Amino acid sequence: MFVLKIGGSLLTHKDRYCTPNHDVLDAYARTLSEHWPTFRGRLVLVVGGGSYGNQVPVRYALTDATEPWQSINVMTMTTKMFEWLTIIADTLRKHGVPGYPFQSSSWITTNDGVPATVSTQPILHALELGLLPVLSGDLVFDAAKSFVIFSSDQIPELLVDSLPIRRVAMLTDVPGIKSGHQPDEIVPLVTGANKRDVLQLTGASTHPDVTGGMRNKLTAALRLAECGVESVICDGTNPQVMMSALVDDPPPGTLIRFDRELDSPEEGGDSR
């Protein structure tokens, strides 16, 4: 099994309100169609919210439930995100890929931002039918905070207990995690031994992003590594990189992988 996570900075114009980048979305759908016989029943697609997931909660004061918010506006995040998922599923269908969108607030709840209940059975059934589950972040209900904005970067780890995932490929608008030494130099491998140093190199996105930018991606990837699932963070500007990011070894970009024989329990501990 594989999980492909395409960042919202690639698929939307993040500096505009709810604006898809149709050319890029269409190119990704064509690429997925070319490789669909290989991945049918073995792939889950996660998409970033981009100008939907980051612009809507700001406009309607939903980024933080501890601040004043209006109940009449709570639905806007989920309805706009499902509008976005519908656009994606329609584009996939046009290219012969049977995408099926899942509304995250219907299968995830949290407690103080931490996943509390996760129901993946409908997703598993979709895979058995040969469909491509299309997942995203969203507003989800929270036992302690009423609701939270749940990042798409955290979606893959919710599938680990249900699916034998080999790799999660996170495609972004940057080539990987930058080393800080040379402008284009990236960190090729993150392990338990260097994870703390690499975390210090990450920060917020240069685009509007309510869920934490590259640092959030890396911490999510580290949690996956602790579960034995490797991740790749790489440049997805060219959709053709998808196959290499999913199956090549070494892949392009930054690979996050723990070696259980080399990384001690202390080094492989909780990255949060």
Side-chain angles (χ1 to χ4, degrees):
M1 292 296 307
F2 301 89
V3 177
L4 177 66
K5 197 271 179 176
I6 309 176
S9 58
L10 296 171
L11 299 178
T12 72
H13 298 283
K14 287 187 75 173
D15 56 346
R16 308 179 200 172
Y17 181 74
C18 296
T19 307
N21 189 328
H22 287 289
D23 290 341
V24 174
L25 178 56
D26 201 62
Y28 263 104
R30 285 197 305 271
T31 303
L32 281 165
S33 178
E34 293 169 8
H35 299 287
W36 183 240
T38 299
F39 287 111
R40 183 183 183 93
R42 302 173 58 212
L43 182 68
V44 174
L45 175 62
V46 181
V47 293
S51 64
Y52 289 82
N54 293 290
Q55 297 274 359
V56 174
V58 172
R59 175 173 290 197
Y60 292 99
L62 299 173
T63 57
D64 187 350
T66 65
E67 300 293 329
W69 53 274
Q70 296 181 343
S71 59
I72 199 168
N73 289 332
V74 173
M75 53 78 70
T76 57
M77 178 68 175
T78 293
T79 55
K80 294 303 286 186
M81 282 304 300
F82 204 73
E83 173 187 305
W84 173 221
L85 292 179
T86 301
I87 291 170
I88 294 167
D90 282 342
T91 305
L92 290 168
R93 183 174 184 271
K94 182 175 72 173
H95 291 279
V97 178
Y100 189 91
F102 283 87
Q103 176 188 323
S104 293
S105 58
S106 68
W107 64 280
I108 304 167
T109 66
T110 58
N111 187 355
D112 200 21
V114 178
T117 62
V118 177
S119 177
T120 59
Q121 190 57 44
I123 297 169
L124 301 182
H125 193 71
L127 287 166
E128 290 172 1
L129 294 178
L131 305 178
L132 174 63
V134 183
L135 315 179
S136 71
D138 201 347
L139 179 149
V140 301
F141 297 112
D142 188 276
K145 298 179 177 179
S146 300
F147 60 83
V148 297
I149 304 300
F150 194 81
S151 172
S152 59
D153 292 330
Q154 297 173 259
I155 294 290
E157 62 193 90
L158 303 183
L159 307 175
V160 169
D161 290 339
S162 302
L163 294 170
I165 300 171
R166 175 189 168 192
R167 179 183 288 175
V168 175
M170 301 184 184
L171 306 188
T172 73
D173 59 354
V174 295
I177 299 174
K178 295 184 178 181
S179 68
H181 301 305
Q182 298 293 331
D184 297 325
E185 184 177 280
I186 64 168
V187 178
L189 178 65
V190 180
T191 67
N194 68 347
K195 68 174 186 177
R196 291 182 177 85
D197 292 336
V198 179
L199 272 170
Q200 298 303 312
L201 302 173
T202 61
S205 173
T206 57
H207 302 286
D209 195 319
V210 300
T211 56
M214 182 59 76
R215 187 175 183 86
N216 192 60
K217 289 178 175 55
L218 179 55
T219 54
L222 290 171
R223 289 193 294 269
L224 284 166
E226 291 165 1
C227 297
V229 177
E230 64 184 32
S231 300
V232 173
I233 299 175
C234 68
D235 187 352
T237 305
N238 179 358
Q240 292 296 331
V241 80
M242 180 190 79
M243 281 295 292
S244 181
L246 285 171
V247 302
D248 282 359
D249 196 7
T254 300
L255 175 65
I256 301 93
R257 176 170 62 193
F258 289 176
D259 187 327
R260 291 298 180 183
E261 295 181 359
L262 298 178
D263 296 329
S264 68
E266 179 181 355
E267 288 291 349
D270 194 347
S271 63
R272 286 168 285 187

